Amino acid sequence: MKKTCLLAAVLLIGFAAYGADFSASALSGFNGGLSFRVAGTIAHFAQGFPLSFEFGIGHTRLDPGNPELARRIFINEATNGTPEKTGYSWEFRLNFLYQIRFLGMQDAHVFVGVRRTAFDANFRYVGGNELFDVTSDLWGVGAGLQSNFPMGRNVSFTMTAGFDYYPNAILTGHDTTYSPDGENINQKEVFTYKDADNAINQPKFQPLLMVGITVGF
């Protein structure tokens, strides 16, 4: 994940130095949960090429799932302690944008792209002496519409709407792993991947609606 982010930063700096149009955005809103994102967009780096490229890094707060089921499926049958839970994801996204005319908007783009997301569900049982994480690394795809509305010479108000989709991914927690192909490690009792996936709310279909500011350079 870190290497991917570093590569994206190097590419952005390289294209900007080469003379392409570059803009940076900061967005917040909903992407399956409360989400924040920073992104950089490269356009007009080759004469006549119709696509722009957007590289983004985001953080989203998510409902991690059912703490009682999570403990049974990944650890043991214990029921003591008051459960607390937190969930989040870090996502890296690459979008390909194509400018269109839509509802009179002068700077609207449709986009499609790929996603790489690291998800973490944390469960704590206060008074039960238990604390563990369930994690997954996911590849996904996304699509949507993004539009910029000028506020000044180089500043625009940005709105984006769409969705991200992630196929099933391996879930790992404590010393237990559940895999979509059934190759589980140290599974508890007769639980299956479907049971683990129902207990843990890893990203799947994530609606997207965000707003923010874009600055051109």
Side-chain angles (χ1 to χ4, degrees):
M1 192 75 166
K2 292 181 180 179
K3 291 181 179 179
T4 305
C5 294
L6 179 60
L7 176 61
V10 171
L11 289 173
L12 286 173
I13 294 171
F15 277 125
Y18 182 72
D21 292 338
F22 173 72
S23 61
S25 303
L27 304 169
S28 64
F30 184 82
N31 189 195
L34 181 62
S35 187
F36 301 91
R37 184 195 310 161
V38 293
T41 302
I42 296 293
H44 306 132
F45 60 89
Q47 186 173 359
F49 190 74
L51 299 179
S52 302
F53 297 93
E54 179 188 64
F55 302 88
I57 302 170
H59 180 270
T60 303
R61 301 287 294 184
L62 298 167
D63 175 9
N66 186 309
E68 289 83 7
L69 287 177
R71 180 153 64 173
R72 288 185 60 196
I73 292 170
F74 285 89
I75 300 183
N76 54 42
E77 291 282 347
T79 59
N80 59 321
T82 302
E84 295 181 351
K85 60 181 183 177
T86 57
Y88 66 88
S89 68
W90 284 100
E91 62 267 1
F92 168 81
R93 57 187 59 227
L94 167 63
N95 283 328
F96 304 88
L97 298 91
Y98 180 76
Q99 190 168 13
I100 62 170
R101 297 294 296 272
F102 182 71
L103 297 178
M105 292 183 287
Q106 300 299 311
D107 190 15
H109 297 77
V110 292
F111 65 83
V112 296
V114 294
R115 316 284 182 254
R116 176 69 186 276
T117 293
F119 169 74
D120 190 301
N122 176 266
F123 300 99
R124 180 185 181 190
Y125 305 84
V126 180
N129 194 32
E130 196 76 79
L131 172 67
F132 72 101
D133 293 89
V134 178
T135 62
S136 63
D137 290 312
L138 307 102
W139 284 97
V141 295
L145 175 71
Q146 181 168 296
S147 187
N148 298 312
F149 303 89
M151 299 173 62
R153 183 176 179 182
N154 295 313
V155 180
S156 298
F157 175 69
T158 300
M159 298 182 65
T160 182
F163 69 91
D164 296 330
Y165 172 72
Y166 297 91
N168 289 338
I170 294 172
L171 289 164
T172 300
H174 203 253
D175 60 350
T176 301
T177 295
Y178 291 92
S179 175
D181 63 9
E183 296 296 323
N184 303 324
I185 299 174
N186 196 30
Q187 69 186 80
K188 300 299 184 285
E189 299 184 9
V190 293
F191 293 119
T192 65
Y193 177 83
K194 183 178 180 180
D195 298 317
D197 190 45
N198 287 337
I200 306 300
N201 292 334
Q202 65 176 330
K204 291 183 179 178
F205 184 86
Q206 307 288 90
L208 168 68
L209 181 61
M210 304 183 76
V211 296
I213 299 296
T214 296
V215 179
F217 298 93

